[in-house]
């Protein structure tokens, strides 16, 4: 079992995690279950900037099939 250090700063607490627990998120959801504190990484809700521009699939097997003609909008009147 690994341990983490509690750091106290101006009435707040921070947990210093060991290097093997490094995470790539900016925030955690936190909750208590009895005396147990549970941290769950909050993943980004959006795709990173430029994500779709970097995708280049040249294989024709990945081409989207024709979806049919666009229907005319209903008449307004």
């Amino acid at each position: 079992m690994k341990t983490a250090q509690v750091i106290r700063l101006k009435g707040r607490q921070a947990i210093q995690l060991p290097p093997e627990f490094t995470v790539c998120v900016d925030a955690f959801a936190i909750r208590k279950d009895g005396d147990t504190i549970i941290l769950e990484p909050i993943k980004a809700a959006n795709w990173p900037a430029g994500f779709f521009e970097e995708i280049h699939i040249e294989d024709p097997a990945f081409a989207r099939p024709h979806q049919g003609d666009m229907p005319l909008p209903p008449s307004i009147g």
Side-chain angles (χ1 to χ4, degrees):
M1 176 189 288
K2 297 287 183 172
T3 60
Q5 298 298 315
V6 176
I7 302 167
R8 290 174 173 73
L9 302 166
K10 299 180 183 179
R12 294 182 178 241
Q13 293 180 331
I15 305 296
Q16 184 176 0
L17 300 174
E20 59 268 28
F21 290 91
T22 299
V23 295
C24 296
V25 297
D26 294 326
F28 285 91
I30 184 171
R31 61 188 168 90
K32 280 185 88 169
D33 186 0
D35 288 338
T36 302
I37 298 172
I38 302 163
L39 301 172
E40 297 176 297
I42 297 175
K43 297 178 181 161
N46 298 322
W47 294 101
F51 178 80
F52 292 103
E53 290 76 16
E54 296 296 320
I55 298 174
H56 300 286
I57 300 174
E58 302 296 332
D59 186 341
F62 286 97
R64 183 177 181 175
H66 181 65
Q67 302 296 303
D69 295 328
M70 185 73 142
L72 296 174
S75 299
I76 299 175

